[in-house]
Amino acid sequence: DALPILEKYNKLEREKIQSQLETLRNQINPHFLFNSFNTLISEIEDNPDKAVIYVEHLSDFYRSIVMHKEKDFISLEEEINILNDYFFIQQKRYGNALQIAMSISLQQQKTYFVVPLALQLLFENAVKHNVVSAENPLQIELFINDTEQLVVRNNIMAKFQPEKGSSMGLQNIQKRYELLCGRTVTVDNDNHFFTVKLPLIKQ
Protein backbone atom coordinates (compact mmCIF):
# COMPACT_ATOMS: atom_id res chain seq x y z
CA ASP A 1 0.00 0.00 0.00
CA ALA A 2 1.50 3.32 -1.10
CA LEU A 3 -0.31 5.46 1.48
CA PRO A 4 1.63 4.33 4.61
CA ILE A 5 4.88 4.72 2.69
CA LEU A 6 3.90 8.27 1.69
CA GLU A 7 2.89 9.10 5.25
CA LYS A 8 6.20 7.75 6.53
CA TYR A 9 8.09 9.81 3.94
CA ASN A 10 6.18 12.98 4.92
CA LYS A 11 6.85 12.32 8.60
CA LEU A 12 10.58 11.89 7.91
CA GLU A 13 10.60 15.11 5.86
CA ARG A 14 8.89 17.03 8.70
CA GLU A 15 11.38 15.63 11.21
CA LYS A 16 14.26 16.56 8.92
CA ILE A 17 12.98 20.15 8.62
CA GLN A 18 12.48 20.40 12.39
CA SER A 19 16.02 19.12 12.92
CA GLN A 20 17.42 21.66 10.46
CA LEU A 21 15.47 24.48 12.11
CA GLU A 22 16.71 23.47 15.55
CA THR A 23 20.30 23.56 14.27
CA LEU A 24 19.73 27.02 12.82
CA ARG A 25 18.12 28.33 16.00
CA ASN A 26 21.05 27.12 18.06
CA GLN A 27 23.37 29.19 15.89
CA ILE A 28 21.69 32.34 17.23
CA ASN A 29 24.27 33.08 19.88
CA PRO A 30 25.51 36.71 19.80
CA HIS A 31 29.29 36.97 19.68
CA PHE A 32 29.41 40.39 21.26
CA LEU A 33 28.80 39.23 24.86
CA PHE A 34 32.40 39.76 26.01
CA ASN A 35 32.52 43.18 24.30
CA SER A 36 29.30 44.05 26.11
CA PHE A 37 30.80 43.16 29.49
CA ASN A 38 33.91 45.21 28.72
CA THR A 39 31.71 48.17 27.86
CA LEU A 40 29.72 47.61 31.05
CA ILE A 41 32.89 47.63 33.18
CA SER A 42 33.90 50.91 31.57
CA GLU A 43 30.42 52.39 32.20
CA ILE A 44 30.48 51.30 35.86
CA GLU A 45 33.80 53.08 36.35
CA ASP A 46 32.89 56.26 34.46
CA ASN A 47 29.08 56.58 34.59
CA PRO A 48 27.46 54.35 37.25
CA ASP A 49 23.96 55.72 36.55
CA LYS A 50 24.27 55.01 32.82
CA ALA A 51 25.63 51.56 33.60
CA VAL A 52 22.26 50.66 35.15
CA ILE A 53 20.46 51.63 31.92
CA TYR A 54 22.99 49.64 29.91
CA VAL A 55 22.38 46.53 32.03
CA GLU A 56 18.62 46.92 31.55
CA HIS A 57 19.02 46.90 27.76
CA LEU A 58 21.44 43.98 27.91
CA SER A 59 19.04 42.04 30.13
CA ASP A 60 16.05 42.82 27.89
CA PHE A 61 17.99 41.69 24.83
CA TYR A 62 18.95 38.30 26.26
CA ARG A 63 15.48 37.80 27.72
CA SER A 64 14.05 38.35 24.21
CA ILE A 65 16.39 35.74 22.78
CA VAL A 66 15.18 33.20 25.34
CA MET A 67 11.52 34.12 24.72
CA HIS A 68 11.54 34.18 20.93
CA LYS A 69 14.32 31.83 19.80
CA GLU A 70 12.04 28.80 19.47
CA LYS A 71 9.28 30.62 17.56
CA ASP A 72 8.92 30.38 13.79
CA PHE A 73 7.72 33.98 13.35
CA ILE A 74 7.28 37.04 15.56
CA SER A 75 5.67 40.41 14.85
CA LEU A 76 7.81 43.06 13.24
CA GLU A 77 7.09 45.20 16.29
CA GLU A 78 8.65 42.60 18.60
CA GLU A 79 11.58 42.20 16.23
CA ILE A 80 12.23 45.96 16.17
CA ASN A 81 12.10 46.09 19.98
CA ILE A 82 14.85 43.45 20.06
CA LEU A 83 16.83 45.42 17.50
CA ASN A 84 16.50 48.62 19.55
CA ASP A 85 18.07 46.90 22.58
CA TYR A 86 20.82 45.43 20.40
CA PHE A 87 21.49 48.81 18.76
CA PHE A 88 21.66 50.57 22.14
CA ILE A 89 24.28 48.04 23.31
CA GLN A 90 26.36 48.35 20.15
CA GLN A 91 26.15 52.15 20.03
CA LYS A 92 27.64 52.31 23.51
CA ARG A 93 30.69 50.64 21.99
CA TYR A 94 30.82 52.52 18.67
CA GLY A 95 29.10 55.84 19.45
CA ASN A 96 28.03 57.90 16.43
CA ALA A 97 30.18 55.69 14.19
CA LEU A 98 27.14 53.37 14.06
CA GLN A 99 23.88 54.91 12.86
CA ILE A 100 20.37 53.67 12.11
CA ALA A 101 17.57 55.20 10.01
CA MET A 102 14.20 53.49 10.35
CA SER A 103 11.10 54.38 8.29
CA ILE A 104 8.51 51.86 9.46
CA SER A 105 5.17 52.92 10.92
CA LEU A 106 3.70 51.35 14.06
CA GLN A 107 0.81 50.04 11.95
CA GLN A 108 3.27 48.25 9.64
CA GLN A 109 5.09 46.85 12.68
CA LYS A 110 1.84 45.33 13.93
CA THR A 111 0.76 44.04 10.50
CA TYR A 112 3.79 42.02 9.45
CA PHE A 113 5.77 39.07 10.84
CA VAL A 114 9.39 38.00 10.34
CA VAL A 115 11.64 35.18 11.54
CA PRO A 116 12.98 35.99 15.03
CA LEU A 117 16.31 37.80 15.43
CA ALA A 118 16.73 38.32 11.68
CA LEU A 119 17.40 42.04 12.10
CA GLN A 120 19.88 41.53 14.91
CA LEU A 121 21.79 39.00 12.79
CA LEU A 122 21.84 41.37 9.79
CA PHE A 123 23.13 44.22 11.95
CA GLU A 124 25.75 41.94 13.45
CA ASN A 125 26.73 40.91 9.92
CA ALA A 126 27.11 44.55 8.83
CA VAL A 127 29.33 45.36 11.80
CA LYS A 128 31.51 42.30 11.22
CA HIS A 129 32.01 43.01 7.51
CA ASN A 130 32.64 46.76 7.67
CA VAL A 131 34.96 49.28 9.24
CA VAL A 132 33.01 51.26 11.85
CA SER A 133 34.69 54.63 12.39
CA ALA A 134 33.73 58.18 13.35
CA GLU A 135 35.24 59.45 10.06
CA ASN A 136 33.09 57.08 7.97
CA PRO A 137 30.04 55.99 10.02
CA LEU A 138 28.31 52.72 9.23
CA GLN A 139 24.75 53.72 8.33
CA ILE A 140 22.00 51.11 8.30
CA GLU A 141 18.56 51.83 6.83
CA LEU A 142 15.31 49.94 7.39
CA PHE A 143 12.15 50.45 5.34
CA ILE A 144 9.36 48.49 3.64
CA ASN A 145 9.25 48.60 -0.16
CA ASP A 146 6.26 48.45 -2.53
CA THR A 147 6.42 44.65 -2.79
CA GLU A 148 6.02 44.09 0.97
CA GLN A 149 9.66 43.30 1.66
CA LEU A 150 11.61 44.57 4.64
CA VAL A 151 14.71 46.25 3.20
CA VAL A 152 17.88 46.41 5.31
CA ARG A 153 20.63 48.41 3.61
CA ASN A 154 24.06 49.59 4.73
CA ASN A 155 26.87 51.52 3.09
CA ILE A 156 29.94 49.41 2.34
CA MET A 157 33.30 50.11 3.98
CA ALA A 158 34.67 46.60 3.77
CA LYS A 159 37.29 45.31 6.18
CA PHE A 160 40.39 43.78 4.63
CA GLN A 161 39.80 40.73 6.81
CA PRO A 162 36.15 40.19 7.84
CA GLU A 163 35.66 38.46 11.19
CA LYS A 164 35.52 34.69 11.21
CA GLY A 165 32.04 33.34 10.59
CA SER A 166 30.74 36.73 9.43
CA SER A 167 28.48 35.20 6.77
CA MET A 168 26.77 32.76 9.15
CA GLY A 169 24.01 35.19 10.16
CA LEU A 170 22.85 35.81 6.60
CA GLN A 171 22.96 32.12 5.68
CA ASN A 172 20.96 31.32 8.82
CA ILE A 173 18.19 33.76 7.84
CA GLN A 174 18.06 32.51 4.23
CA LYS A 175 17.76 28.88 5.32
CA ARG A 176 15.06 29.59 7.92
CA TYR A 177 12.87 31.44 5.41
CA GLU A 178 13.37 28.64 2.89
CA LEU A 179 12.44 25.93 5.39
CA LEU A 180 9.53 27.73 7.04
CA CYS A 181 7.69 29.23 4.09
CA GLY A 182 9.63 28.58 0.89
CA ARG A 183 10.28 32.31 0.48
CA THR A 184 13.56 33.77 -0.80
CA VAL A 185 15.71 36.34 0.97
CA THR A 186 17.17 38.67 -1.70
CA VAL A 187 20.75 39.92 -1.37
CA ASP A 188 22.37 42.63 -3.50
CA ASN A 189 25.86 44.13 -3.39
CA ASP A 190 26.62 46.98 -5.82
CA ASN A 191 29.95 47.84 -4.12
CA HIS A 192 28.37 50.96 -2.60
CA PHE A 193 25.49 49.43 -0.64
CA PHE A 194 24.80 45.97 0.75
CA THR A 195 21.06 45.33 0.61
CA VAL A 196 19.01 42.48 2.05
CA LYS A 197 15.27 42.13 1.39
CA LEU A 198 13.32 39.98 3.83
CA PRO A 199 9.89 38.60 2.90
CA LEU A 200 7.21 39.96 5.22
CA ILE A 201 4.59 37.49 6.39
CA LYS A 202 0.95 38.31 7.13
CA GLN A 203 -0.75 36.06 9.68
Side-chain angles (χ1 to χ4, degrees), residues 6-22:
L6 186 61
E7 287 176 352
K8 186 176 180 182
Y9 174 79
N10 288 336
K11 184 170 182 282
L12 287 170
E13 281 298 299
R14 284 196 301 272
E15 288 174 355
K16 179 183 173 185
I17 288 172
Q18 285 302 119
S19 175
Q20 288 174 307
L21 281 170
E22 190 60 32

Side-chain angles (χ1 to χ4, degrees), residues 69-86:
K69 194 175 92 165
E70 301 302 323
K71 296 179 181 178
D72 292 337
F73 296 101
I74 62 173
S75 72
L76 185 53
E77 182 181 20
E78 291 172 311
E79 181 72 4
I80 286 174
N81 287 338
I82 296 171
L83 177 65
N84 286 337
D85 283 321
Y86 178 78

Side-chain angles (χ1 to χ4, degrees), residues 25-38:
R25 286 172 179 141
N26 287 335
Q27 288 174 5
I28 301 170
N29 182 20
H31 303 291
F32 71 105
L33 182 60
F34 290 113
N35 289 327
S36 299
F37 282 129
N38 287 335

Side-chain angles (χ1 to χ4, degrees), residues 126-142:
V127 170
K128 284 180 176 181
H129 270 283
N130 293 280
V131 175
V132 184
S133 68
E135 297 77 22
N136 295 294
L138 178 62
Q139 299 171 321
I140 306 176
E141 299 173 78
L142 279 87

Side-chain angles (χ1 to χ4, degrees), residues 99 126 130-131 136-141 153-158 191-194:
Q99 300 175 7
N130 293 280
V131 175
N136 295 294
L138 178 62
Q139 299 171 321
I140 306 176
E141 299 173 78
R153 179 170 65 194
N154 65 270
N155 55 326
I156 295 175
M157 294 171 292
N191 295 320
H192 298 288
F193 292 95
F194 187 81

Side-chain angles (χ1 to χ4, degrees), residues 153-172:
R153 179 170 65 194
N154 65 270
N155 55 326
I156 295 175
M157 294 171 292
K159 292 179 179 177
F160 289 114
Q161 291 184 322
E163 293 181 31
K164 188 177 179 182
S166 59
S167 64
M168 284 295 290
L170 182 55
Q171 291 172 6
N172 179 302

Side-chain angles (χ1 to χ4, degrees), residues 143-189:
F143 60 92
I144 294 173
N145 64 14
D146 294 336
T147 56
E148 294 189 318
Q149 292 172 304
L150 177 60
V151 181
V152 183
R153 179 170 65 194
N154 65 270
N155 55 326
I156 295 175
M157 294 171 292
K159 292 179 179 177
F160 289 114
Q161 291 184 322
E163 293 181 31
K164 188 177 179 182
S166 59
S167 64
M168 284 295 290
L170 182 55
Q171 291 172 6
N172 179 302
I173 296 164
Q174 289 172 314
K175 288 177 183 175
R176 278 193 288 157
Y177 267 103
E178 183 183 333
L179 289 168
L180 286 167
C181 60
R183 303 277 292 274
T184 302
V185 174
T186 307
V187 180
D188 181 57
N189 182 344

